[in-house]
Amino acid sequence: MSNEARKPIISGNWKMNHNHFEAIQCVQKLAYLLTKDDFAAVDVTIHPPFTDLRSVQTLIDADELKFILGAQHCHEVDSGAFTGEISAMFLAKLNVSYVIVGHSERREIFGETDESIHNKIVAIQKSKMTPILCVGETLAEREAGTTYEKVLGQLRSALEKRTAEQIKSMVIAYEPIWAIGTGKTATADDAQRVVSAIREEISKISSANVASAVRLQYGGSVKASNIAEIMAQPDIDGVLVGGASLDAAEFARICQYRLKKQD
Ligand code: 13P
Protein backbone atom coordinates (compact mmCIF):
# COMPACT_ATOMS: atom_id res chain seq x y z
CA MET A 1 0.00 0.00 0.00
CA SER A 2 1.52 3.30 -1.08
CA ASN A 3 3.03 5.30 1.78
CA GLU A 4 2.64 8.78 0.33
CA ALA A 5 0.08 9.98 2.89
CA ARG A 6 1.99 8.72 5.93
CA LYS A 7 4.81 10.83 7.34
CA PRO A 8 7.98 8.74 7.74
CA ILE A 9 9.07 8.13 11.32
CA ILE A 10 12.66 7.30 12.23
CA SER A 11 13.25 6.26 15.82
CA GLY A 12 16.51 5.83 17.70
CA ASN A 13 16.28 3.27 20.49
CA TRP A 14 19.43 3.75 22.51
CA LYS A 15 18.68 0.78 24.79
CA MET A 16 21.00 0.83 27.85
CA ASN A 17 23.60 3.11 26.23
CA HIS A 18 24.66 6.75 26.71
CA ASN A 19 24.56 8.27 30.20
CA HIS A 20 22.95 11.71 30.46
CA PHE A 21 26.17 13.57 29.58
CA GLU A 22 26.67 11.43 26.48
CA ALA A 23 23.00 11.81 25.63
CA ILE A 24 23.26 15.62 25.61
CA GLN A 25 26.34 15.49 23.39
CA CYS A 26 24.71 13.08 20.98
CA VAL A 27 21.53 15.17 20.66
CA GLN A 28 23.57 18.36 20.17
CA LYS A 29 25.59 16.74 17.38
CA LEU A 30 22.44 15.44 15.75
CA ALA A 31 20.79 18.86 15.96
CA TYR A 32 23.81 20.32 14.18
CA LEU A 33 23.66 17.72 11.40
CA LEU A 34 19.93 17.75 10.69
CA THR A 35 18.18 20.60 8.90
CA LYS A 36 14.71 22.10 9.01
CA ASP A 37 13.95 20.25 5.78
CA ASP A 38 14.90 16.94 7.39
CA PHE A 39 12.42 17.51 10.20
CA ALA A 40 9.76 18.60 7.73
CA ALA A 41 10.28 15.35 5.81
CA VAL A 42 10.53 12.88 8.71
CA ASP A 43 9.53 12.60 12.35
CA VAL A 44 12.64 11.80 14.39
CA THR A 45 12.03 10.23 17.79
CA ILE A 46 14.81 9.61 20.29
CA HIS A 47 14.48 7.05 23.07
CA PRO A 48 17.22 7.51 25.69
CA PRO A 49 17.41 5.60 28.99
CA PHE A 50 15.11 6.88 31.78
CA THR A 51 17.97 8.67 33.59
CA ASP A 52 18.64 10.84 30.50
CA LEU A 53 15.07 11.89 29.80
CA ARG A 54 14.98 15.06 31.90
CA SER A 55 18.31 16.32 30.48
CA VAL A 56 17.29 15.64 26.88
CA GLN A 57 13.86 17.17 27.41
CA THR A 58 15.41 20.34 28.86
CA LEU A 59 17.79 20.59 25.89
CA ILE A 60 14.98 20.08 23.37
CA ASP A 61 12.86 22.76 25.06
CA ALA A 62 15.65 25.29 25.60
CA ASP A 63 17.01 25.08 22.04
CA GLU A 64 13.58 24.51 20.44
CA LEU A 65 14.85 21.35 18.77
CA LYS A 66 12.50 19.37 16.58
CA PHE A 67 13.30 15.94 18.00
CA ILE A 68 10.39 14.09 19.49
CA LEU A 69 11.18 12.66 22.91
CA GLY A 70 10.51 8.98 23.44
CA ALA A 71 10.97 6.36 26.16
CA GLN A 72 11.85 2.68 25.89
CA HIS A 73 9.47 1.18 28.39
CA CYS A 74 6.95 1.90 31.14
CA HIS A 75 4.90 0.11 33.75
CA GLU A 76 1.20 -0.54 33.20
CA VAL A 77 0.01 0.90 36.54
CA ASP A 78 -0.12 4.64 37.40
CA SER A 79 1.69 4.46 40.76
CA GLY A 80 2.28 2.16 43.71
CA ALA A 81 4.58 -0.45 45.18
CA PHE A 82 6.50 -1.44 42.05
CA THR A 83 10.14 -0.88 43.00
CA GLY A 84 12.24 0.27 40.08
CA GLU A 85 9.36 0.86 37.69
CA ILE A 86 8.29 4.07 35.91
CA SER A 87 4.67 4.81 35.03
CA ALA A 88 3.33 6.20 31.76
CA MET A 89 2.00 9.20 33.71
CA PHE A 90 5.53 10.12 34.84
CA LEU A 91 6.78 9.97 31.26
CA ALA A 92 3.96 12.20 30.01
CA LYS A 93 4.98 14.81 32.62
CA LEU A 94 8.43 14.92 30.99
CA ASN A 95 6.88 15.68 27.59
CA VAL A 96 7.60 12.19 26.35
CA SER A 97 5.42 11.56 23.29
CA TYR A 98 6.32 8.05 22.12
CA VAL A 99 6.88 4.94 24.22
CA ILE A 100 8.31 1.69 22.88
CA VAL A 101 6.30 -1.25 24.14
CA GLY A 102 6.78 -4.98 23.71
CA HIS A 103 10.37 -4.76 22.52
CA SER A 104 11.70 -8.30 22.07
CA GLU A 105 14.39 -7.64 24.70
CA ARG A 106 11.66 -6.80 27.21
CA ARG A 107 9.64 -9.86 26.16
CA GLU A 108 12.57 -12.31 26.11
CA ILE A 109 14.86 -11.05 28.89
CA PHE A 110 12.31 -9.56 31.28
CA GLY A 111 9.43 -11.93 30.63
CA GLU A 112 6.84 -9.39 29.46
CA THR A 113 3.69 -11.12 28.32
CA ASP A 114 1.18 -10.24 25.59
CA GLU A 115 -1.23 -9.34 28.38
CA SER A 116 1.13 -6.91 30.14
CA ILE A 117 2.01 -5.37 26.77
CA HIS A 118 -1.67 -4.79 26.07
CA ASN A 119 -2.07 -3.16 29.50
CA LYS A 120 0.91 -0.89 28.84
CA ILE A 121 -0.62 0.24 25.55
CA VAL A 122 -3.79 1.17 27.44
CA ALA A 123 -1.71 3.11 30.02
CA ILE A 124 0.36 4.90 27.36
CA GLN A 125 -2.72 5.98 25.43
CA LYS A 126 -4.50 7.02 28.62
CA SER A 127 -1.58 9.42 29.17
CA LYS A 128 -2.03 10.75 25.60
CA MET A 129 1.26 9.34 24.33
CA THR A 130 1.85 7.13 21.29
CA PRO A 131 2.90 3.51 21.70
CA ILE A 132 5.49 2.06 19.33
CA LEU A 133 4.46 -1.58 19.54
CA CYS A 134 7.18 -4.08 18.61
CA VAL A 135 6.40 -7.50 17.17
CA GLY A 136 8.73 -10.10 15.71
CA GLU A 137 9.72 -13.74 15.44
CA THR A 138 12.80 -15.67 16.59
CA LEU A 139 15.08 -17.46 14.15
CA ALA A 140 13.63 -20.83 15.23
CA GLU A 141 10.11 -19.57 14.55
CA ARG A 142 11.13 -18.24 11.18
CA GLU A 143 12.74 -21.55 10.26
CA ALA A 144 9.68 -23.43 11.45
CA GLY A 145 7.54 -21.28 9.13
CA THR A 146 5.56 -19.69 11.97
CA THR A 147 6.57 -16.05 11.41
CA TYR A 148 3.08 -14.85 10.49
CA GLU A 149 1.39 -16.80 13.25
CA LYS A 150 3.73 -15.28 15.86
CA VAL A 151 3.74 -11.71 14.57
CA LEU A 152 0.02 -11.47 13.83
CA GLY A 153 -0.82 -13.18 17.13
CA GLN A 154 1.22 -10.55 19.03
CA LEU A 155 -0.54 -7.86 17.03
CA ARG A 156 -4.06 -9.16 17.69
CA SER A 157 -3.42 -9.44 21.40
CA ALA A 158 -1.93 -5.94 21.65
CA LEU A 159 -4.78 -4.29 19.73
CA GLU A 160 -7.62 -6.04 21.51
CA LYS A 161 -10.48 -3.70 22.43
CA ARG A 162 -8.68 -0.62 21.12
CA THR A 163 -10.86 1.79 19.16
CA ALA A 164 -10.25 2.71 15.52
CA GLU A 165 -8.82 6.09 16.58
CA GLN A 166 -6.52 4.46 19.11
CA ILE A 167 -5.18 1.96 16.57
CA LYS A 168 -4.80 4.60 13.89
CA SER A 169 -2.55 6.74 16.07
CA MET A 170 -0.16 3.91 16.98
CA VAL A 171 3.16 3.01 15.41
CA ILE A 172 3.91 -0.67 14.92
CA ALA A 173 7.46 -1.90 14.45
CA TYR A 174 8.25 -5.25 12.86
CA GLU A 175 11.52 -6.34 14.42
CA PRO A 176 12.60 -9.89 13.52
CA ILE A 177 14.57 -10.95 16.60
CA TRP A 178 17.27 -12.68 14.54
CA ALA A 179 18.05 -9.35 12.85
CA ILE A 180 18.47 -7.31 16.05
CA GLY A 181 22.08 -6.38 16.74
CA THR A 182 23.32 -9.22 14.56
CA GLY A 183 24.23 -7.32 11.42
CA LYS A 184 21.71 -9.52 9.59
CA THR A 185 18.87 -7.57 8.04
CA ALA A 186 15.70 -9.02 6.61
CA THR A 187 15.85 -8.36 2.88
CA ALA A 188 13.76 -5.35 2.00
CA ASP A 189 11.32 -7.63 0.14
CA ASP A 190 11.06 -9.91 3.10
CA ALA A 191 10.43 -7.04 5.52
CA GLN A 192 7.84 -5.62 3.12
CA ARG A 193 5.99 -8.97 3.01
CA VAL A 194 5.63 -9.20 6.79
CA VAL A 195 4.86 -5.50 7.22
CA SER A 196 2.18 -5.69 4.54
CA ALA A 197 0.67 -8.72 6.32
CA ILE A 198 0.55 -6.58 9.49
CA ARG A 199 -1.32 -3.88 7.58
CA GLU A 200 -3.74 -6.42 6.16
CA GLU A 201 -4.38 -7.84 9.62
CA ILE A 202 -5.12 -4.34 10.97
CA SER A 203 -7.67 -3.92 8.24
CA LYS A 204 -9.37 -7.13 9.45
CA ILE A 205 -9.13 -6.14 13.14
CA SER A 206 -10.34 -2.59 12.47
CA SER A 207 -10.91 -1.22 8.94
CA ALA A 208 -9.14 -0.52 5.67
CA ASN A 209 -9.17 3.16 6.54
CA VAL A 210 -7.35 2.55 9.83
CA ALA A 211 -4.91 0.15 8.18
CA SER A 212 -3.97 2.68 5.53
CA ALA A 213 -3.32 5.39 8.17
CA VAL A 214 -1.23 3.48 10.72
CA ARG A 215 2.54 3.90 10.48
CA LEU A 216 4.61 0.74 10.29
CA GLN A 217 8.34 0.50 10.95
CA TYR A 218 11.01 -2.09 10.31
CA GLY A 219 13.79 -2.66 12.86
CA GLY A 220 16.86 -4.89 12.90
CA SER A 221 20.40 -3.86 11.89
CA VAL A 222 19.26 -0.74 10.03
CA LYS A 223 22.22 1.37 8.92
CA ALA A 224 22.90 4.31 6.62
CA SER A 225 23.94 1.79 3.95
CA ASN A 226 20.62 -0.12 3.87
CA ILE A 227 18.04 2.53 4.86
CA ALA A 228 17.14 3.76 1.37
CA GLU A 229 16.21 0.28 0.17
CA ILE A 230 14.10 -0.38 3.27
CA MET A 231 12.29 2.98 3.04
CA ALA A 232 11.54 2.34 -0.64
CA GLN A 233 9.11 -0.44 0.34
CA PRO A 234 5.49 0.66 -0.04
CA ASP A 235 4.29 -0.46 3.41
CA ILE A 236 7.34 0.58 5.42
CA ASP A 237 6.91 4.08 6.84
CA GLY A 238 9.95 4.21 9.07
CA VAL A 239 12.59 2.36 11.02
CA LEU A 240 13.40 1.61 14.64
CA VAL A 241 17.18 1.80 14.93
CA GLY A 242 19.30 0.40 17.76
CA GLY A 243 23.10 0.32 17.43
CA ALA A 244 23.34 2.73 14.51
CA SER A 245 21.37 5.41 16.39
CA LEU A 246 24.12 5.77 19.01
CA ASP A 247 26.42 7.50 16.57
CA ALA A 248 25.10 10.96 15.67
CA ALA A 249 26.70 11.06 12.21
CA GLU A 250 25.39 7.60 11.25
CA PHE A 251 21.91 8.31 12.63
CA ALA A 252 21.79 11.66 10.81
CA ARG A 253 22.58 9.85 7.54
CA ILE A 254 19.75 7.44 8.27
CA CYS A 255 17.34 10.35 8.88
CA GLN A 256 18.51 11.86 5.59
CA TYR A 257 17.89 8.70 3.55
CA ARG A 258 15.74 10.63 1.08
CA LEU A 259 18.74 12.73 0.00
CA LYS A 260 20.65 9.54 -0.77
CA LYS A 261 17.88 8.41 -3.10
CA GLN A 262 18.51 11.47 -5.25
CA ASP A 263 22.31 10.90 -5.51
P1 13P B 1 19.75 -2.87 16.04
O1 13P B 1 19.49 -1.73 15.10
O2 13P B 1 20.95 -2.66 16.90
O3 13P B 1 19.74 -4.18 15.31
O4 13P B 1 18.50 -2.91 17.07
C1 13P B 1 17.22 -2.90 16.57
C2 13P B 1 16.29 -2.68 17.69
O5 13P B 1 16.11 -3.54 18.53
C3 13P B 1 15.63 -1.38 17.79
O6 13P B 1 14.63 -1.40 18.75
Side-chain angles (χ1 to χ4, degrees), residues 4 8 14 16 26 30-31 47 54 91 141 145 155 175 180 192 226 228-229 260:
E4 267 160 41
W14 289 356
M16 198 173 74
C26 187
L30 259 180
H47 303 254
R54 178 67 174 149
L91 297 174
E141 288 160 344
L155 181 76
E175 294 209 310
I180 295 177
Q192 160 62 22
N226 58 22
E229 194 192 352
K260 197 164 180 206

Side-chain angles (χ1 to χ4, degrees), residues 141-153:
E141 288 160 344
R142 164 158 286 234
E143 284 170 350
T146 56
T147 297
Y148 292 89
E149 199 181 305
K150 169 82 177 291
V151 167
L152 302 182

